[in-house]
Amino acid sequence: MVGRRHDKTGRSTGAMAASRFAKQNRPPQGEGFVWFTRQIMRSPAFRAMSLNARKLVDRVLIEHMDHGGAQNGELIVTYADLVDWGIRRNSIPPTIAEVVALDILEHRPGRPSHIAGKGHPQVFRISWLPTADEPPSTKWCAFKTIEQANKVAKAARACGTDARHNAKRDPPPKI
């Protein structure tokens, strides 16, 4: 099995053992990609994310790739995009609160749309990637244990429900 060169202890040096493997270990020509480091993928913050949070992050990453990796910090994702991606509409606010509390994404509401029924788009920044003005953030490293990250994520989901959404609901009928 040939892949990467190894040092005396048997650990990978990161250098490719042969040039043909270096050529094969790249994204396909013309395809967008986003890099994940081992550090972020093993971090308690990343591991504590719920399934909806992973879907949200995946949708924002796709938006990032759609813009050639040049618009981080200005990535616009609408509720309709997230619903199409498999997140229930009433689960979107708690999910956004969760990823923001875990410092995986940064969020701000966008400008309102003047098209009837389109609402406010959501604007995101992928925290572990740089923007044109800012270096990558490492706030997500603050969580030292998975239990600590789970506690923060659960609290954020509980507080993240949209009060306006709940106020619009009709009370259950009395039997």
Side-chain angles (χ1 to χ4, degrees):
M1 181 162 120
V2 179
R4 299 195 180 268
R5 289 195 179 113
H6 297 84
D7 62 12
K8 290 185 223 177
T9 64
R11 294 199 176 253
S12 173
T13 62
M16 294 306 235
S19 63
R20 79 181 156 121
F21 291 107
K23 291 176 188 170
Q24 291 173 349
N25 197 24
R26 290 196 169 99
Q29 189 69 25
E31 282 292 318
F33 69 97
V34 175
W35 53 266
F36 283 93
T37 62
R38 185 178 321 147
Q39 183 183 16
I40 185 125
M41 292 188 81
R42 286 185 172 172
S43 71
F46 201 78
R47 292 172 44 212
M49 285 192 301
S50 66
L51 179 59
N52 278 342
R54 284 303 306 259
K55 287 179 180 180
L56 172 63
V57 170
D58 290 346
R59 183 61 185 91
V60 172
L61 291 173
I62 286 174
E63 192 68 25
H64 182 63
M65 289 184 277
D66 286 347
H67 291 282
Q71 296 291 318
N72 193 18
E74 297 298 326
L75 300 170
I76 296 174
V77 180
T78 64
Y79 268 42
D81 293 335
L82 296 173
V83 169
D84 288 345
W85 207 248
I87 304 173
R88 287 186 6 243
R89 192 167 194 80
N90 64 347
S91 298
I92 294 172
T95 303
I96 292 172
E98 177 185 353
V99 294
V100 169
L102 291 171
D103 295 315
I104 301 295
L105 298 177
E106 295 173 12
H107 165 260
R108 63 183 163 80
R111 293 189 341 236
S113 173
H114 297 292
I115 301 170
K118 289 295 181 183
H120 297 271
Q122 309 302 305
V123 181
F124 292 96
R125 175 182 186 258
I126 303 164
S127 66
W128 72 89
L129 298 177
T131 66
D133 305 333
E134 301 175 49
S137 169
T138 56
K139 294 177 190 174
W140 48 269
C141 293
F143 299 101
K144 300 301 179 197
T145 64
I146 189 77
E147 291 80 17
Q148 180 188 13
N150 278 329
K151 186 177 177 182
V152 168
K154 185 176 179 181
R157 282 191 304 269
C159 294
T161 35
D162 190 358
R164 293 175 310 201
H165 176 75
N166 289 336
K168 291 179 186 176
R169 289 186 177 171
D170 293 332
K174 293 184 181 181
I175 299 177

